[in-house]
Amino acid sequence: MAILGLAIFIAAIAMLVFGLTAASRFGSAPPPNVGSIGTGQVVGGVGLIIAGLAMVGSALAVLADVRGSRRVAAAVSGAVAVLSAAGVIRVMGEGGGDPVLAAALAVTTIILGVAAIILVRRPA
């Protein structure tokens, strides 16, 4: 969970940078709405940064055996799994959706769903 959270955090940084620099790709003849082109990537990048940090933090808290951290980590893992499943539906719902992105989101959904189930169980 911590490794996947770190990967999400790194992807979020890339998405944020892409959104902030989207207007510079148009050169001397930008479209009239150039200021709002990267807004979706910036908002999504900030959301992914929050999700990635929450995943890394909750996983490290479980490893440090902090009281109540398993429930928090299970909730974070489950919430990100649900959001990832929604991402699969959204990506494949659009005409000509990206199957590679959908597959990566589906694998993320499965991994985080299983992690949430494992974290909910009581340790032996």
Side-chain angles (χ1 to χ4, degrees), residues 4-16 40-56 76 80 83-84 101 105 108 112:
L4 192 55
L6 184 60
I8 289 174
F9 180 78
I10 292 169
I13 297 293
M15 190 171 174
L16 191 64
Q41 285 101 3
V42 170
V43 172
V46 170
L48 285 177
I49 285 175
I50 293 168
L53 289 176
M55 287 177 60
V56 170
V76 168
V80 176
L83 291 173
S84 180
L101 178 59
L105 286 169
T108 301
L112 291 176

Side-chain angles (χ1 to χ4, degrees), residues 11-114:
I13 297 293
M15 190 171 174
L16 191 64
V17 168
F18 183 77
L20 290 173
T21 61
S24 66
R25 291 185 186 82
F26 291 100
S28 62
N33 64 344
V34 74
S36 64
I37 287 179
T39 304
Q41 285 101 3
V42 170
V43 172
V46 170
L48 285 177
I49 285 175
I50 293 168
L53 289 176
M55 287 177 60
V56 170
S58 63
L60 292 177
V62 169
L63 290 175
D65 201 25
V66 174
R67 183 181 171 114
S69 61
R70 290 178 65 90
R71 286 183 293 237
V72 172
V76 168
S77 182
V80 176
V82 168
L83 291 173
S84 180
V88 172
I89 294 168
R90 179 159 166 93
V91 166
M92 292 312 291
E94 295 179 4
D98 186 3
V100 175
L101 178 59
L105 286 169
V107 169
T108 301
T109 301
I110 292 168
I111 291 171
L112 291 176
V114 170

